[in-house]
């Protein structure tokens, strides 16, 4: 088993190096929070640090027609660089920030039944 994201560590490292060389902006907030801090460790104490985000969640590989979770995780066209912070907020939601046109990013609103 194992985590499909790390099944091929060297490919993953290559992708990270490629994004870093491009100095690409965060694909989730589209640079709203500034450039990605490529040299910081990827953890919660560095919210603007660099993580690779899967545009189509690996956990839903079947729905997106991938042969395996690993195929989804290794598809270059399915990957984008992101801030640690943005990636953590996005979770498994696709285009989470698309509808958000304001400057303040909050967690996705949850509509409860019966409040209207
Ligand atoms: Zn971001």
């Amino acid at each position: 088993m194992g985590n499909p994201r790390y099944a091929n560590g060297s490919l993953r490292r290559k992708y990270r190096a490629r994004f870093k060389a491009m100095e690409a902006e965060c694909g989730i907030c589209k640079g709203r929070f500034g450039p990605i801090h490529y040299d910081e460790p990827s953890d919660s104490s560095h919210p603007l640090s660099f993580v690779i985000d899967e545009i189509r969640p690996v956990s839903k590989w079947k729905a997106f027609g991938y042969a395996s979770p690993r195929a989804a995780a290794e598809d270059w066209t399915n990957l984008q660089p992101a801030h640690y912070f943005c990636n953590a907020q996005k979770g498994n939601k696709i285009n989470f920030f698309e509808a958000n046109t304001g400057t303040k990013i909050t967690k996705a609103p949850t509509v409860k039944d019966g409040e209207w």
Side-chain angles (χ1 to χ4, degrees), residues 26-34 36 48 82-87 97:
C26 172
I28 298 176
C29 71
K30 315 287 187 198
R32 198 177 294 163
F33 294 138
I36 293 171
L48 298 182
H83 292 124
Y84 182 95
F85 168 83
C86 294
N87 180 256
F97 289 99

PDB file of all heavy atoms in Angstrom, residues 26-34 36 48 82-87 97, ligand 1:
ATOM      1  N   CYS A  26       1.284  30.506  -6.578  1.00  0.00           N
ATOM      2  CA  CYS A  26       0.333  29.555  -6.003  1.00  0.00           C
ATOM      3  C   CYS A  26      -0.883  29.407  -6.927  1.00  0.00           C
ATOM      4  O   CYS A  26      -1.509  30.384  -7.303  1.00  0.00           O
ATOM      5  CB  CYS A  26      -0.096  30.057  -4.631  1.00  0.00           C
ATOM      6  SG  CYS A  26      -1.429  29.108  -3.880  1.00  0.00           S
ATOM      7  N   GLY A  27      -1.176  28.170  -7.311  1.00  0.00           N
ATOM      8  CA  GLY A  27      -2.288  27.916  -8.218  1.00  0.00           C
ATOM      9  C   GLY A  27      -3.645  28.027  -7.560  1.00  0.00           C
ATOM     10  O   GLY A  27      -4.663  28.048  -8.236  1.00  0.00           O
ATOM     11  N   ILE A  28      -3.670  28.083  -6.253  1.00  0.00           N
ATOM     12  CA  ILE A  28      -4.951  28.145  -5.543  1.00  0.00           C
ATOM     13  C   ILE A  28      -5.378  29.591  -5.312  1.00  0.00           C
ATOM     14  O   ILE A  28      -6.481  29.983  -5.666  1.00  0.00           O
ATOM     15  CB  ILE A  28      -4.874  27.373  -4.210  1.00  0.00           C
ATOM     16  CG1 ILE A  28      -4.577  25.895  -4.494  1.00  0.00           C
ATOM     17  CG2 ILE A  28      -6.189  27.513  -3.442  1.00  0.00           C
ATOM     18  CD1 ILE A  28      -4.377  25.047  -3.256  1.00  0.00           C
ATOM     19  N   CYS A  29      -4.487  30.411  -4.752  1.00  0.00           N
ATOM     20  CA  CYS A  29      -4.863  31.808  -4.509  1.00  0.00           C
ATOM     21  C   CYS A  29      -4.390  32.702  -5.653  1.00  0.00           C
ATOM     22  O   CYS A  29      -4.646  33.901  -5.644  1.00  0.00           O
ATOM     23  CB  CYS A  29      -4.311  32.294  -3.174  1.00  0.00           C
ATOM     24  SG  CYS A  29      -2.529  32.535  -3.147  1.00  0.00           S
ATOM     25  N   LYS A  30      -3.717  32.100  -6.643  1.00  0.00           N
ATOM     26  CA  LYS A  30      -3.217  32.836  -7.810  1.00  0.00           C
ATOM     27  C   LYS A  30      -2.325  33.999  -7.412  1.00  0.00           C
ATOM     28  O   LYS A  30      -2.399  35.089  -7.975  1.00  0.00           O
ATOM     29  CB  LYS A  30      -4.374  33.372  -8.681  1.00  0.00           C
ATOM     30  CG  LYS A  30      -5.494  32.386  -8.935  1.00  0.00           C
ATOM     31  CD  LYS A  30      -5.086  31.313  -9.902  1.00  0.00           C
ATOM     32  CE  LYS A  30      -6.296  30.443 -10.264  1.00  0.00           C
ATOM     33  NZ  LYS A  30      -5.887  29.169 -10.842  1.00  0.00           N
ATOM     34  N   GLY A  31      -1.518  33.777  -6.405  1.00  0.00           N
ATOM     35  CA  GLY A  31      -0.564  34.795  -6.004  1.00  0.00           C
ATOM     36  C   GLY A  31      -1.119  35.866  -5.087  1.00  0.00           C
ATOM     37  O   GLY A  31      -0.434  36.841  -4.791  1.00  0.00           O
ATOM     38  N   ARG A  32      -2.336  35.697  -4.646  1.00  0.00           N
ATOM     39  CA  ARG A  32      -2.957  36.713  -3.796  1.00  0.00           C
ATOM     40  C   ARG A  32      -2.178  36.908  -2.495  1.00  0.00           C
ATOM     41  O   ARG A  32      -2.122  38.002  -1.956  1.00  0.00           O
ATOM     42  CB  ARG A  32      -4.398  36.283  -3.485  1.00  0.00           C
ATOM     43  CG  ARG A  32      -5.269  37.410  -2.991  1.00  0.00           C
ATOM     44  CD  ARG A  32      -6.686  36.919  -2.766  1.00  0.00           C
ATOM     45  NE  ARG A  32      -7.334  36.537  -4.006  1.00  0.00           N
ATOM     46  CZ  ARG A  32      -8.431  35.787  -4.068  1.00  0.00           C
ATOM     47  NH1 ARG A  32      -8.977  35.332  -2.971  1.00  0.00           N
ATOM     48  NH2 ARG A  32      -8.974  35.483  -5.220  1.00  0.00           N
ATOM     49  N   PHE A  33      -1.597  35.820  -2.012  1.00  0.00           N
ATOM     50  CA  PHE A  33      -0.836  35.923  -0.766  1.00  0.00           C
ATOM     51  C   PHE A  33       0.646  36.144  -1.023  1.00  0.00           C
ATOM     52  O   PHE A  33       1.466  35.981  -0.143  1.00  0.00           O
ATOM     53  CB  PHE A  33      -1.030  34.665   0.079  1.00  0.00           C
ATOM     54  CG  PHE A  33      -2.436  34.501   0.571  1.00  0.00           C
ATOM     55  CD1 PHE A  33      -3.058  33.262   0.552  1.00  0.00           C
ATOM     56  CD2 PHE A  33      -3.150  35.590   1.045  1.00  0.00           C
ATOM     57  CE1 PHE A  33      -4.362  33.116   1.000  1.00  0.00           C
ATOM     58  CE2 PHE A  33      -4.450  35.455   1.498  1.00  0.00           C
ATOM     59  CZ  PHE A  33      -5.066  34.207   1.477  1.00  0.00           C
ATOM     60  N   GLY A  34       0.976  36.495  -2.263  1.00  0.00           N
ATOM     61  CA  GLY A  34       2.370  36.742  -2.589  1.00  0.00           C
ATOM     62  C   GLY A  34       3.044  35.484  -3.100  1.00  0.00           C
ATOM     63  O   GLY A  34       2.417  34.445  -3.245  1.00  0.00           O
ATOM     64  N   ILE A  36       5.347  32.150  -3.494  1.00  0.00           N
ATOM     65  CA  ILE A  36       5.571  30.975  -2.653  1.00  0.00           C
ATOM     66  C   ILE A  36       6.993  31.038  -2.092  1.00  0.00           C
ATOM     67  O   ILE A  36       7.929  31.382  -2.805  1.00  0.00           O
ATOM     68  CB  ILE A  36       5.377  29.684  -3.477  1.00  0.00           C
ATOM     69  CG1 ILE A  36       3.916  29.551  -3.893  1.00  0.00           C
ATOM     70  CG2 ILE A  36       5.834  28.463  -2.703  1.00  0.00           C
ATOM     71  CD1 ILE A  36       3.655  28.433  -4.886  1.00  0.00           C
ATOM     72  N   LEU A  48       3.293  30.120   3.988  1.00  0.00           N
ATOM     73  CA  LEU A  48       3.522  30.452   2.578  1.00  0.00           C
ATOM     74  C   LEU A  48       4.569  29.537   1.940  1.00  0.00           C
ATOM     75  O   LEU A  48       5.052  29.790   0.840  1.00  0.00           O
ATOM     76  CB  LEU A  48       3.949  31.920   2.425  1.00  0.00           C
ATOM     77  CG  LEU A  48       2.905  32.948   2.891  1.00  0.00           C
ATOM     78  CD1 LEU A  48       3.410  34.374   2.661  1.00  0.00           C
ATOM     79  CD2 LEU A  48       1.574  32.763   2.172  1.00  0.00           C
ATOM     80  N   ALA A  82       1.541  25.297  -4.694  1.00  0.00           N
ATOM     81  CA  ALA A  82       0.605  26.009  -3.825  1.00  0.00           C
ATOM     82  C   ALA A  82       1.282  26.374  -2.517  1.00  0.00           C
ATOM     83  O   ALA A  82       2.292  25.785  -2.133  1.00  0.00           O
ATOM     84  CB  ALA A  82      -0.616  25.138  -3.551  1.00  0.00           C
ATOM     85  N   HIS A  83       0.711  27.364  -1.850  1.00  0.00           N
ATOM     86  CA  HIS A  83       1.113  27.669  -0.482  1.00  0.00           C
ATOM     87  C   HIS A  83       0.632  26.540   0.427  1.00  0.00           C
ATOM     88  O   HIS A  83      -0.435  25.968   0.197  1.00  0.00           O
ATOM     89  CB  HIS A  83       0.440  28.971  -0.007  1.00  0.00           C
ATOM     90  CG  HIS A  83       0.914  30.202  -0.701  1.00  0.00           C
ATOM     91  ND1 HIS A  83       0.047  31.049  -1.351  1.00  0.00           N
ATOM     92  CD2 HIS A  83       2.153  30.750  -0.822  1.00  0.00           C
ATOM     93  CE1 HIS A  83       0.745  32.078  -1.840  1.00  0.00           C
ATOM     94  NE2 HIS A  83       2.004  31.920  -1.550  1.00  0.00           N
ATOM     95  N   TYR A  84       1.373  26.287   1.442  1.00  0.00           N
ATOM     96  CA  TYR A  84       0.940  25.306   2.444  1.00  0.00           C
ATOM     97  C   TYR A  84      -0.444  25.677   2.973  1.00  0.00           C
ATOM     98  O   TYR A  84      -1.348  24.857   3.069  1.00  0.00           O
ATOM     99  CB  TYR A  84       1.948  25.282   3.602  1.00  0.00           C
ATOM    100  CG  TYR A  84       1.603  24.259   4.648  1.00  0.00           C
ATOM    101  CD1 TYR A  84       2.175  22.996   4.622  1.00  0.00           C
ATOM    102  CD2 TYR A  84       0.691  24.558   5.668  1.00  0.00           C
ATOM    103  CE1 TYR A  84       1.848  22.054   5.570  1.00  0.00           C
ATOM    104  CE2 TYR A  84       0.361  23.610   6.621  1.00  0.00           C
ATOM    105  CZ  TYR A  84       0.934  22.366   6.569  1.00  0.00           C
ATOM    106  OH  TYR A  84       0.595  21.431   7.503  1.00  0.00           O
ATOM    107  N   PHE A  85      -0.608  26.951   3.274  1.00  0.00           N
ATOM    108  CA  PHE A  85      -1.860  27.466   3.830  1.00  0.00           C
ATOM    109  C   PHE A  85      -3.037  27.221   2.892  1.00  0.00           C
ATOM    110  O   PHE A  85      -4.096  26.751   3.301  1.00  0.00           O
ATOM    111  CB  PHE A  85      -1.680  28.967   4.092  1.00  0.00           C
ATOM    112  CG  PHE A  85      -2.956  29.703   4.400  1.00  0.00           C
ATOM    113  CD1 PHE A  85      -3.479  29.701   5.681  1.00  0.00           C
ATOM    114  CD2 PHE A  85      -3.619  30.410   3.408  1.00  0.00           C
ATOM    115  CE1 PHE A  85      -4.653  30.379   5.964  1.00  0.00           C
ATOM    116  CE2 PHE A  85      -4.797  31.087   3.684  1.00  0.00           C
ATOM    117  CZ  PHE A  85      -5.316  31.071   4.968  1.00  0.00           C
ATOM    118  N   CYS A  86      -2.851  27.556   1.629  1.00  0.00           N
ATOM    119  CA  CYS A  86      -3.945  27.429   0.659  1.00  0.00           C
ATOM    120  C   CYS A  86      -4.309  25.961   0.449  1.00  0.00           C
ATOM    121  O   CYS A  86      -5.478  25.596   0.383  1.00  0.00           O
ATOM    122  CB  CYS A  86      -3.538  28.059  -0.671  1.00  0.00           C
ATOM    123  SG  CYS A  86      -3.324  29.846  -0.552  1.00  0.00           S
ATOM    124  N   ASN A  87      -3.290  25.143   0.356  1.00  0.00           N
ATOM    125  CA  ASN A  87      -3.509  23.715   0.155  1.00  0.00           C
ATOM    126  C   ASN A  87      -4.276  23.115   1.325  1.00  0.00           C
ATOM    127  O   ASN A  87      -5.187  22.303   1.142  1.00  0.00           O
ATOM    128  CB  ASN A  87      -2.158  23.018  -0.023  1.00  0.00           C
ATOM    129  CG  ASN A  87      -2.312  21.528  -0.225  1.00  0.00           C
ATOM    130  OD1 ASN A  87      -2.070  20.747   0.691  1.00  0.00           O
ATOM    131  ND2 ASN A  87      -2.727  21.120  -1.389  1.00  0.00           N
ATOM    132  N   PHE A  97     -11.370  28.199  -4.580  1.00  0.00           N
ATOM    133  CA  PHE A  97     -11.220  29.652  -4.591  1.00  0.00           C
ATOM    134  C   PHE A  97     -11.833  30.314  -5.820  1.00  0.00           C
ATOM    135  O   PHE A  97     -11.884  31.515  -5.903  1.00  0.00           O
ATOM    136  CB  PHE A  97      -9.744  30.034  -4.502  1.00  0.00           C
ATOM    137  CG  PHE A  97      -9.143  29.762  -3.145  1.00  0.00           C
ATOM    138  CD1 PHE A  97      -8.397  28.636  -2.919  1.00  0.00           C
ATOM    139  CD2 PHE A  97      -9.369  30.639  -2.097  1.00  0.00           C
ATOM    140  CE1 PHE A  97      -7.860  28.379  -1.674  1.00  0.00           C
ATOM    141  CE2 PHE A  97      -8.833  30.401  -0.848  1.00  0.00           C
ATOM    142  CZ  PHE A  97      -8.072  29.254  -0.631  1.00  0.00           C
TER     143      PHE A  97
HETATM  144 ZN1  LIG B   1      -1.769  30.553  -2.140  1.00  0.00          ZN
END
